[in-house]
């Protein structure tokens, strides 16, 4: 990288403080001390050229209180509240995803009956990174649904603001409330307890959810205010998200995001004839049938997983195959 310097000025009261982030030839970052200083730019040195072929597992969050309010015509909730958490149904869906992941890990471990080498579930369980939208419903789904994977692989959740819900001026569902990992985790766990009650919050499936979270991209306001996000603006943001996938050091990434984001990514990047072959997974595995290709009518069920193979060596349409699967507990989205 050579020697790069970037200065950032921060104001508190009447005092002005200049801060410089220096990146040396070895890629080390020196940050000045101070409680009010945050990095304006984060640089990462790549250990080698990124792989051109990767896998991205897109997980839609569970049903939220917004979905519930919409189905019950609760207009006040729809228009006045921000960053809706999971509903009880959404928590059940996330727990079904957790059971699916735990079952897959048990099958893949010593003494298990094993998973087929090319099973999308087996590939998901070998992921080396877990990303999430910063919105509460996505973070809750990630913490609950992927808890066994995070624990076994000792991975931290990395928040990606580019994976957030598209901005709509007519509702607050796409706007955040909390900033920074401690506040966002506290909100996610507190809202979960409010929905399920204290007794269930202490149950085996919902206890010990306080996983490490990396929130470099959410240390300042990460959502938009005001006007709706245009289609072009959304595509530019998702293009940047795919560049993050391309240039990160990870080869298999699980991303918990939103149905509209998944649909837009498939429309932007799914190549012609890229549908994966339909197959039925192992007998007894808590999965529904794998459906080849993109979701019917662009709809992705809550907690469904879209397994995408990527080839960044292509000039465009980098998704070369696509399969959709979900927990088999009759928990398809109804909103």
């Amino acid at each position: 990288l050579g020697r790069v310097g970037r200065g950032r000025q921060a104001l508190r009261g009447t005092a002005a403080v200049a801060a410089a982030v220096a990146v040396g030839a070895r890629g080390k970052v020196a940050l000045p001390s101070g409680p009010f200083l945050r990095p304006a730019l984060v640089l990462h040195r790549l250990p080698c050229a990124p792989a051109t072929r990767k896998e991205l597992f897109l997980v839609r969050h569970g049903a939220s209180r917004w979905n519930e309010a919409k189905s019950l015509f609760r207009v006040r909730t729809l228009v006045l509240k921000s960053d809706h958490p999971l509903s009880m149904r959404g928590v059940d869906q996330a727990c079904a995803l957790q059971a699916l992941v735990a079952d897959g890990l048990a099958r893949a471990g010593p003494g298990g009956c094993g998973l087929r080498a090319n099973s999308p579930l087996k590939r998901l369980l070998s992921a080396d990174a877990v990303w999430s939208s910063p919105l509460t419903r996505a973070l809750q789904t990630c913490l609950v649904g992927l808890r066994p994977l995070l624990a076994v692989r000792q991975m931290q959740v990395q928040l990606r603001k580019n994976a957030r819900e598209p901005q709509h001026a007519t509702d607050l569902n796409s706007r955040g409330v909390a900033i920074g990992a401690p506040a966002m985790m506290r909100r996610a766990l507190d809202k979960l307890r409010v929905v399920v009650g204290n007794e269930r919050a202490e149950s085996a499936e919902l206890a010990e959810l306080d996983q490490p979270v990396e929130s470099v991209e959410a240390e300042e306001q990460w959502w938009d205010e005001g006007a709706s996000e245009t289609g072009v603006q959304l595509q530019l943001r998702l293009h940047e998200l795919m560049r993050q996938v391309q240039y990160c050091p990870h080869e298999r990434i699980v991303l918990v995001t939103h149905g509209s984001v998944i649909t837009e990514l498939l429309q932007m990047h799914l190549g012609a004839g890229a549908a994966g072959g339909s197959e039925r997974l192992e007998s007894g595995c808590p999965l529904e049938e794998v459906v080849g290709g993109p979701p019917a009518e662009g709809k992705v069920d809550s907690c469904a997983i879209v397994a995408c193979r990527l080839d960044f060596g292509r000039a465009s349409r980098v998704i070369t195959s696509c399969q959709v699967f979900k927990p088999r507990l009759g928990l398809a989205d109804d909103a």
Side-chain angles (χ1 to χ4, degrees):
L1 288 175
R3 192 167 296 277
V4 180
R6 178 179 176 91
R8 184 190 181 201
Q9 192 172 48
L11 297 178
R12 169 166 286 190
T14 60
V17 182
V21 178
V23 182
R26 294 186 178 180
K28 296 182 178 179
V29 179
L31 286 174
S33 61
F36 51 85
L37 297 178
R38 299 190 183 99
L41 180 66
V42 178
L43 299 179
H44 299 278
R45 173 185 287 276
L46 297 178
C48 58
T52 58
R53 294 181 182 272
K54 297 191 174 188
E55 284 192 89
L56 180 63
F57 298 88
L58 300 167
V59 183
R60 185 186 176 188
H61 64 78
S64 71
R65 298 293 292 271
W66 187 91
N67 299 124
E68 182 180 71
K70 183 180 177 181
S71 65
L72 297 175
F73 301 102
R74 293 176 179 168
V75 178
R76 184 178 179 84
T77 300
L78 291 174
V79 300
L80 295 181
K81 294 188 177 182
S82 301
D83 193 12
H84 296 78
L86 293 178
S87 63
M88 182 67 80
R89 181 177 177 81
V91 174
D92 290 340
Q93 291 165 336
C95 289
L97 176 60
Q98 180 188 114
L100 168 64
V101 172
D103 180 84
L105 288 170
R107 286 169 172 262
C113 61
L115 294 169
R116 288 199 303 271
N118 199 38
S119 164
L121 178 57
K122 184 172 184 177
R123 301 199 309 271
L124 179 144
L125 297 177
S126 65
D128 51 357
V130 174
W131 296 0
S132 175
S133 158
L135 285 161
T136 297
R137 53 194 178 277
L139 180 56
Q140 288 176 323
T141 301
C142 184
L143 294 172
V144 175
L146 300 179
R147 189 188 70 167
L149 179 62
L150 292 169
V152 168
R153 302 295 300 276
Q154 296 185 335
M155 292 186 293
Q156 64 178 358
V157 179
Q158 301 178 48
L159 301 181
R160 292 288 179 260
K161 65 180 182 179
N162 285 327
R164 67 188 185 276
E165 187 90 66
Q167 169 74 22
H168 299 292
T170 56
D171 67 68
L172 304 179
N173 196 38
S174 55
R175 301 181 191 180
V177 173
I179 295 174
M184 297 170 79
M185 283 293 294
R186 184 166 57 251
R187 174 178 169 79
L189 298 180
D190 288 350
K191 292 295 183 181
L192 186 68
R193 184 175 290 271
V194 168
V195 169
V196 303
N198 290 331
E199 183 177 352
R200 188 178 179 188
E202 300 299 331
S203 65
E205 60 187 0
L206 296 180
E208 300 179 2
L209 297 179
D210 195 5
Q211 300 288 340
V213 174
E214 184 246 78
S215 61
V216 171
E217 295 188 14
E219 290 299 322
E220 294 181 336
Q221 181 172 317
W222 42 267
W223 63 91
D224 297 322
E225 301 281 1
S228 297
E229 194 172 20
T230 67
V232 172
Q233 289 172 328
L234 175 61
Q235 289 185 1
L236 288 174
R237 172 157 65 85
L238 297 185
H239 178 76
E240 176 61 25
L241 176 64
M242 290 299 283
R243 287 292 169 263
Q244 291 179 285
V245 173
Q246 179 180 2
Y247 291 109
C248 76
H250 311 294
E251 296 190 15
R252 283 184 173 148
I253 301 165
V254 182
L255 171 61
V256 183
T257 183
H258 308 270
S260 54
V261 170
I262 295 174
T263 299
E264 189 66 30
L265 283 172
L266 294 180
Q267 291 176 348
M268 290 171 61
H269 296 288
L270 186 63
S278 298
E279 58 176 313
R280 188 173 292 278
L281 299 191
E282 292 82 359
S283 175
C285 193
L287 282 174
E288 293 205 350
E289 184 176 357
V290 173
V291 181
E297 301 179 356
K299 181 180 177 61
V300 183
D301 288 339
S302 296
C303 287
I305 304 166
V306 184
C308 302
R309 293 183 185 270
L310 312 176
D311 183 358
F312 289 105
R314 296 164 60 120
S316 62
R317 301 287 179 176
V318 298
I319 300 178
T320 60
S321 69
C322 173
Q323 290 177 304
V324 184
F325 59 103
K326 61 185 179 182
R328 183 206 293 143
L329 289 179
L331 295 174
D333 192 10
D334 61 354

